[in-house]
């Protein structure tokens, strides 16, 4: 089965809509991007209520920031690794120390600004573990795999076609 891939701009990050027999979303963008989301969904001509799952690749603010708003509009389940789900449910604005000089400098800069970023909490309905999670029941031929690195709870989406979605890879 072919999966159509639609990039959706939601602030500083790119999210994706994957449409096969069903529809899922990869990442939730920065906070306050609901209007952008609705505009993008209108552009690609997919009603928001077709989205059955929002897969959050990791718990950083720029990937989970609008997930709650999008979930409320779409009714989709939110899926996130169990190690980071509290980052959305509480929410926690985590910024772990970088592994290299650039990561430490950039992380320090971001920590300063995180105090002004508001993330609306949301319930994570699908708590992902370290094993694979099939997307076939959501109409997408592929799976979610645990890929720690950027953060301990990072996940990637691997479609049966070989296409992959990785939230971020730098540390």
């Amino acid at each position: 089965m072919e999966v159509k891939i639609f990039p959706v701009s939601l602030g500083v990050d790119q999210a994706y809509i994957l449409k096969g027999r069903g529809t899922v979303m990869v990442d939730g963008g920065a906070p306050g991007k609901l209007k952008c989301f609705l505009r993008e969904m209108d552009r690609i001509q997919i009603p928001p209520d077709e989205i059955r799952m929002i897969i959050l690749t990791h718990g950083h603010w720029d990937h989970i920031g609008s997930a709650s708003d999008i979930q409320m509009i779409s009714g989709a389940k939110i899926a996130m690794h169990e190690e980071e789900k509290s980052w959305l449910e509480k929410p926690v604005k985590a910024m772990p120390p970088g592994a290299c000089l650039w990561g430490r400098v950039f992380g320090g800069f971001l920590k300063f600004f995180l105090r002004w970023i508001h993330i609306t909490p949301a319930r994570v309905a699908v708590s992902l573990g370290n094993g694979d999670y099939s997307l076939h029941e959501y109409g997408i031929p592929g799976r979610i795999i645990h890929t720690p690195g950027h953060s301990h709870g990072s996940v990637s989406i691997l479609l049966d076609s070989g296409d992959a979605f990785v939230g971020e890879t730098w540390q």
Side-chain angles (χ1 to χ4, degrees):
M1 166 201 305
E2 180 187 358
V3 174
K4 293 183 180 178
I5 301 167
F6 300 94
V8 176
S9 181
L10 294 179
V12 295
D13 290 326
Q14 191 88 349
Y16 295 90
I17 302 297
L18 310 180
K19 184 161 178 60
R21 279 192 332 273
T23 305
V24 302
M25 181 173 183
V26 178
D27 279 332
K33 297 299 176 187
L34 181 60
K35 287 183 183 179
C36 291
F37 167 76
L38 293 172
R39 204 170 29 249
E40 290 284 281
M41 296 304 286
D42 189 50
R43 177 184 62 81
I44 63 176
Q45 299 180 357
I46 297 175
D49 63 0
E50 279 189 22
I51 299 171
R52 297 178 59 202
M53 176 181 274
I54 302 166
I55 305 162
L56 301 176
T57 60
H58 63 287
H60 292 160
W61 65 274
D62 55 331
H63 291 259
I64 69 170
S66 289
S68 178
D69 294 335
I70 294 168
Q71 190 278 330
M72 288 182 66
I73 293 287
S74 66
K77 293 180 181 178
I78 295 177
M80 190 173 188
H81 195 273
E82 63 192 2
E83 284 195 45
E84 297 180 6
K85 73 179 195 170
S86 67
W87 296 9
L88 179 61
E89 291 181 337
K90 298 248 190 280
V92 175
K93 293 180 262 186
M95 194 68 219
C100 64
L101 177 62
W102 169 245
R104 288 189 294 275
V105 170
F106 188 67
F109 177 76
L110 276 179
K111 271 187 180 179
F112 177 76
F113 288 100
L114 281 178
R115 67 184 89 182
W116 293 291
I117 294 173
H118 174 74
I119 298 169
T120 304
R123 183 179 159 278
V124 174
V126 179
S127 184
L128 303 168
N130 295 340
D132 292 2
Y133 185 90
S134 175
L135 292 171
H136 288 266
E137 73 175 276
Y138 295 92
I140 301 296
R143 64 189 190 272
I144 304 170
I145 57 175
H146 183 220
T147 52
H150 181 65
S151 70
H152 293 293
S154 289
V155 299
S156 298
I157 295 83
L158 180 60
L159 300 180
D160 291 353
S161 65
D163 291 308
F165 299 85
V166 179
E168 287 181 52
T169 58
W170 68 277
Q171 293 182 345

